[in-house]
Amino acid sequence: MQTPFPWFFDISPEQSDYATAKSALFGIPYGGPGFEDCAQAPAAVFEASPQVESFDDELGWYSGESGIATVGREELSRPLTSLDEAAQLIDRFLPQLLSDGKFPLMVGGSGAVVAPALAHHLERCPDLGVVRFDAMASVVSQLPASPVAAVGLRRVSEAEWGALQGREALTTVWGGGWTPGDWLGEFRKAIAPLPRQVYVSVDVSALDPALMPATPVAEPGGLSWQQLCRGLSELFAAHEVVGLDVTGLTPIAGLHSADFLVAKLLYRAIGLKYGASRKVLVD
């Protein structure tokens, strides 16, 4: 499964060796109807990743020291044409990563790839909790898991609203005009009922579009970078995070900051999973 040379992040061959790496990243280049450009996201993020500083000054640690393998680089050369094809690629990678004891990180693609990836985690842990950062309720309302904490929602249809209201074991942190203190209290309340093991799914639309314009769902409001990182810090400190994905990025030619942000987010998550020396704080 290992690529013949390190590619994700600028780390040494020893740190990217699959046999010893604690984390493994793979991309699913599927966009789907209305989100076709999201298929370019995995390649854009992986290409931007060597620009991420290997020393994380927020955590005081080199996240790459835990070992970060890249699998399936060859699959990013063409967009996948159907969700079935995307699910087949997930089936090819994810069960092996879980069997090998890796911390898997998936780079989408649209949010449609979350459910087939989550299904593999639920096979191993039926009581798994899920935290989904997203502006839209469409993916949240279809997640095959319970309990779920939905964070950043601010685009919800009437039908989706009704589905959310009728769903048991769902907590929400709505998007909009938070102050950092108010948001953190809401977030802690939302994740408190979750079981020890959780899966984290981040759609970039959860972020403020001033920070992340490269998304087809650029709704006003949303999280700051500091809020997202603080939320992840709280999650990794209070729960065992068994997997993570990032979806929804629609790369914009010349706007490399959006691709870089996702790469840094993945690196931060690995740092929080392994060896972080202190929590990330909101300014």
Side-chain angles (χ1 to χ4, degrees):
M1 297 180 69
Q2 184 187 13
T3 52
F5 50 86
W7 188 45
F8 198 84
F9 301 122
D10 187 17
I11 58 178
S12 69
E14 293 77 18
Q15 291 173 337
S16 62
D17 180 55
Y18 183 84
T20 57
K22 293 183 178 180
S23 302
L25 294 116
F26 65 99
I28 302 296
Y30 173 71
F35 301 93
E36 288 83 1
D37 289 344
C38 286
Q40 308 300 324
V45 172
F46 281 36
E47 289 169 6
S49 67
Q51 303 305 315
V52 176
E53 170 58 48
S54 58
F55 178 76
D56 191 324
D57 62 301
E58 293 281 357
L59 303 181
W61 194 63
Y62 288 93
S63 299
E65 289 183 1
S66 64
I68 307 170
T70 301
V71 299
R73 176 192 177 188
E74 67 281 357
E75 300 296 339
L76 302 185
S77 60
R78 67 173 184 88
L80 302 177
T81 58
S82 69
L83 183 57
D84 284 344
E85 193 176 9
Q88 290 171 12
L89 192 58
I90 293 170
D91 293 345
R92 180 176 146 198
F93 292 141
L94 190 51
Q96 186 65 56
L97 297 180
L98 293 172
S99 295
D100 291 342
K102 308 301 181 185
F103 175 54
L105 300 100
M106 179 178 71
V107 187
S110 76
V113 303
V114 175
L118 182 57
H120 288 288
H121 288 275
L122 288 170
E123 286 181 5
R124 291 173 169 265
C125 181
D127 298 326
L128 186 70
V130 177
V131 180
R132 172 70 174 176
F133 295 85
D134 201 339
M136 298 177 65
S138 55
V139 171
V140 173
S141 61
Q142 299 171 13
L143 288 176
S146 178
V148 175
V151 184
L153 298 183
R154 56 196 190 279
R155 179 169 174 169
V156 182
S157 71
E158 183 177 3
E160 290 166 346
W161 175 269
L164 293 177
Q165 298 304 309
R167 180 162 181 168
E168 295 182 0
L170 171 70
T171 55
T172 55
V173 182
W174 295 96
W178 302 293
T179 62
D182 293 337
W183 177 83
L184 186 56
E186 290 181 45
F187 183 81
R188 286 173 171 166
K189 183 178 179 180
I191 67 171
L194 297 177
R196 183 178 65 87
Q197 292 186 314
V198 299
Y199 179 86
V200 177
S201 180
V202 181
D203 191 280
V204 298
S205 66
L207 291 163
D208 188 328
L211 173 66
M212 174 51 73
T215 170
V217 189
E219 287 286 334
L223 298 169
S224 68
W225 169 255
Q226 290 82 2
Q227 285 174 318
L228 177 57
C229 289
R230 180 57 185 266
L232 291 176
S233 179
E234 295 279 332
L235 278 169
F236 278 92
H239 299 273
E240 179 189 352
V241 179
V242 300
L244 181 141
D245 68 62
V246 181
T247 61
L249 174 68
T250 304
I252 298 173
L255 186 68
H256 303 301
S257 61
D259 311 334
F260 176 84
L261 184 151
V262 175
K264 189 175 179 70
L265 175 61
L266 293 163
Y267 197 69
R268 172 61 54 79
I270 293 168
L272 289 169
K273 176 72 174 177
Y274 301 108
S277 62
R278 65 181 178 88
K279 293 182 179 181
V280 183
L281 301 178
V282 175
D283 291 338

